[in-house]
Amino acid sequence: MIRIPPPFSSSTSMAQTNNQELQENQSKDMDEGLALAMETMGKERERKRKKMREEGGLPLCQDPLDLLGRDLMLRVLNNLDARSVARCLVVSRSWNRVASSDLLWTSKCEELWHGKAHLPRLSLVRGVSKLDAYSLSVMDGKRTRIAKDDLCDHVWDFHFTKVAPEYWRNLDPYWKGNGPPMHRYFHQDGSQTADPDDKVWGGHECCYSIVTSMIGGGKIREHYVRINRWLPLAVSRKQDWSWEMSNNFYCYSSVPDAYKEGGTGPLFLVM
């Protein structure tokens, strides 16, 4: 009988073991060499910094955040305008953590909201960071497309224009100067009402609609509010974020209500 040898002889197995040990030794030597190189580089950097400190200077490449610390850096950033602070967000991850702090953006939001007629509801949602609240407020403040929530959340001053018939102007306290302005109220069911003692109103039924037509690229071609079948009201936005709706004969102006808890307007951003 002929005996067939095993596929792997003892000499082959030894060679594989030696190769494995050699690879492990080489890997260990590389790790030790890398660690030694990093240690040497660190010592060299520290030596240069020490030399510059002794000569009365500081390393030009030192991060101000490492030098000042988080608390002092917050004080420095607090003296910058919001746009400059926003640029600091992209310097590094450590800068982003400091520059996005609610401690910093709370004061920025207060500066932005100061003197505004309305504060957007979407920026005052619980859990929204102050940085996001600032960004959402800026975007909403540029919005010129009015929503139903805007109409219904505000009280509206109403008065006739100069070209309106004299009979109407004689009934209007805005022109006569003999009382508070007339008010109008929009409701979620699509109706509109006035104060009970309003002489112009007359108790007639009113309903409103918001009309928006778009063209290519999502641009607004036409946007207005219509009450009953009267002339459409062109919509505009003022610098203090208040609204105005007007035509040739009468004008609506939103009454400032920044004190309202939770803000006003739509909960989601309207473009």
Side-chain angles (χ1 to χ4, degrees):
M1 180 181 295
I2 301 173
R3 188 173 181 177
I4 301 174
F8 297 100
S9 64
S10 59
S11 60
T12 303
S13 177
M14 265 176 115
Q16 289 179 345
T17 302
N18 292 337
N19 288 337
Q20 185 176 359
E21 290 178 356
L22 180 60
Q23 290 176 358
E24 290 176 355
N25 290 334
Q26 289 177 345
S27 177
K28 185 177 180 181
D29 291 339
M30 289 178 63
D31 291 340
E32 290 177 353
L34 181 60
L36 181 60
M38 293 180 66
E39 183 180 357
T40 303
M41 290 172 62
K43 289 180 178 180
E44 182 64 19
R45 282 197 301 267
E46 185 60 30
R47 185 187 67 78
K48 290 181 179 179
R49 289 179 180 179
K50 184 177 180 181
K51 182 179 179 181
M52 293 191 72
R53 282 195 295 267
E54 291 174 351
E55 294 175 354
L58 289 174
L60 296 177
C61 60
Q62 190 166 4
D63 191 331
L65 181 57
D66 294 336
L67 179 64
L68 299 176
R70 183 178 184 274
D71 293 339
L72 282 178
M73 197 63 176
L74 278 173
R75 292 191 180 187
V76 172
L77 295 179
N78 195 46
N79 291 318
L80 300 178
D81 61 275
R83 184 182 296 272
S84 299
V85 176
R87 289 172 178 164
C88 296
L89 292 167
V90 297
V91 173
S92 66
R93 291 184 179 180
S94 57
W95 277 61
N96 182 279
R97 284 191 293 269
V98 175
S100 61
S101 171
D102 277 1
L103 295 173
L104 183 63
W105 285 97
T106 296
S107 61
K108 301 302 179 189
C109 285
E110 291 173 354
E111 293 172 7
L112 176 67
W113 294 338
H114 179 71
K116 296 299 188 288
H118 314 301
L119 300 185
R121 176 177 284 117
L122 52 82
S123 67
L124 299 177
V125 175
R126 182 175 297 179
V128 172
S129 70
K130 293 302 181 182
L131 172 58
D132 288 340
Y134 188 98
S135 301
L136 291 170
S137 296
V138 170
M139 288 188 286
D140 187 81
K142 295 178 180 179
R143 175 171 58 93
T144 56
R145 182 179 175 184
I146 201 167
K148 179 182 281 191
D149 289 321
D150 295 308
L151 292 175
C152 299
D153 286 348
H154 309 311
V155 177
W156 295 81
D157 284 342
F158 172 85
H159 68 84
F160 291 107
T161 65
K162 191 174 182 178
V163 300
E166 185 178 0
Y167 172 77
W168 291 356
R169 286 188 280 115
N170 287 336
L171 297 174
D172 190 347
Y174 177 86
W175 292 103
K176 301 296 290 184
N178 57 358
M182 294 183 287
H183 291 146
R184 296 292 182 266
Y185 309 91
F186 295 87
H187 306 284
Q188 288 289 346
D189 62 359
S191 63
Q192 185 197 35
T193 58
D195 293 325
D197 58 348
D198 193 303
K199 295 180 181 180
V200 175
W201 184 255
H204 56 274
E205 184 176 342
C206 276
C207 59
Y208 68 89
S209 59
I210 302 173
V211 179
T212 306
S213 60
M214 314 290 287
I215 57 177
K219 295 182 179 180
I220 297 177
R221 181 180 64 182
E222 200 173 22
H223 179 64
Y224 60 87
V225 174
R226 168 161 278 172
I227 300 172
N228 290 346
R229 294 190 176 183
W230 302 333
L231 293 175
L233 294 160
V235 180
S236 60
R237 195 85 183 266
K238 298 181 180 179
Q239 290 293 326
D240 65 352
W241 297 353
S242 62
W243 295 91
E244 185 172 282
M245 304 184 297
S246 61
N247 56 31
N248 289 337
F249 295 105
Y250 48 86
C251 177
Y252 289 80
S253 299
S254 60
V255 177
D257 53 12
Y259 59 86
K260 277 193 173 182
E261 185 176 354
T264 56
L267 182 58
F268 301 101
L269 193 62
V270 177
M271 303 305 292

